[in-house]
Amino acid sequence: MQWEKEIQKFLLLIFPKYVEILDEVEFKTGGGSANRRPDFILVDSFGHIDVIEIKTPKMALLRKTEYRNNFVPSGELSSVTVQMENYLHDLNLNHKNASAKIKDKLLRDDVNPKIKLPKGIIIAGDKKGLNDKQKSDFEIIRRQFRNITDIITYDELIESFKNQIRTLQGAKEI
């Protein structure tokens, strides 16, 4: 939980299209018997929402051994992608209930939440230590999840911050 809170501080910098980040939003599952609670709901200025799930940098991305000359997702990565797919499915199925829950938590009054094919973002793992074949197989795995916007590793996140800092340092005053 502390890990997620630390990352939350930087989400609007990482994803500038969003205007608000909500945590602890709980909504009904497809069957209505239980509740879902993703790490964060991201809301853009038009009210469209997306979901973000945060795991640790130590989470394994791939299994250690190959299966038929291919590296396959680790059990942890498979689990979080299924978790995300369920969040997205249930948001679409119960959009009225979820929209009301999101609206109650919004700080801005001028934004009305809209649940229209939300995307998911997973921040997990680290590519350091992967060989070229593993990186290639990971990229295929990452691209196979069409409903999930992206699976971002922590080393990619750090490199993104470094690029933003370099860009801002090189920018001239307007």
Side-chain angles (χ1 to χ4, degrees), residues 25-39:
V25 176
E26 198 170 276
F27 56 89
K28 298 276 185 215
T29 62
S33 60
N35 290 330
R36 301 258 188 223
R37 187 183 316 155
D39 289 340

Side-chain angles (χ1 to χ4, degrees), residues 2 24 29 34-36 42 48 52 55 62-63 76 80 83 90 105 110 117-119 126 151 163 166-167 174:
Q2 181 61 30
E24 303 296 321
T29 62
N35 290 330
R36 301 258 188 223
L42 304 171
H48 297 104
I52 191 162
K55 301 300 178 194
L62 304 171
R63 290 190 185 159
E76 293 169 296
V80 73
Q83 177 185 8
D90 289 339
K105 291 198 134 243
D110 62 330
L117 299 174
K119 297 290 184 187
D126 194 329
I151 300 170
N163 285 335
R166 281 192 291 270
T167 300
I174 297 176

Side-chain angles (χ1 to χ4, degrees), residues 12-130:
L12 293 179
L13 179 62
I14 300 165
F15 305 108
K17 84 175 216 171
Y18 300 105
V19 296
E20 213 167 316
I21 303 163
L22 307 174
D23 63 350
E24 303 296 321
V25 176
E26 198 170 276
F27 56 89
K28 298 276 185 215
T29 62
S33 60
N35 290 330
R36 301 258 188 223
R37 187 183 316 155
D39 289 340
F40 300 105
I41 300 284
L42 304 171
V43 184
D44 71 15
S45 60
F46 297 105
H48 297 104
I49 67 111
D50 292 318
V51 179
I52 191 162
E53 193 64 24
I54 311 274
K55 301 300 178 194
T56 70
K58 294 183 182 188
M59 188 187 98
L61 299 171
L62 304 171
R63 290 190 185 159
K64 293 180 189 212
T65 57
E66 291 179 275
Y67 173 76
R68 296 188 177 194
N69 297 319
N70 297 295
F71 287 95
V72 296
S74 68
E76 293 169 296
L77 183 56
S78 294
S79 295
V80 73
T81 55
V82 169
Q83 177 185 8
M84 180 62 77
E85 291 288 355
N86 279 314
Y87 288 157
L88 299 175
H89 172 76
D90 289 339
L91 277 168
N92 281 313
L93 209 59
N94 300 303
H95 60 91
K96 287 182 183 176
N97 169 275
S99 290
K101 299 270 183 157
I102 292 167
K103 180 70 175 170
D104 288 344
K105 291 198 134 243
L106 282 173
L107 297 175
R108 295 176 57 148
D109 292 332
D110 62 330
V111 175
N112 289 314
K114 296 170 189 68
I115 299 175
K116 299 195 186 281
L117 299 174
K119 297 290 184 187
I121 301 166
I122 297 169
I123 298 177
D126 194 329
K127 291 191 308 185
K128 291 178 186 159
L130 298 182

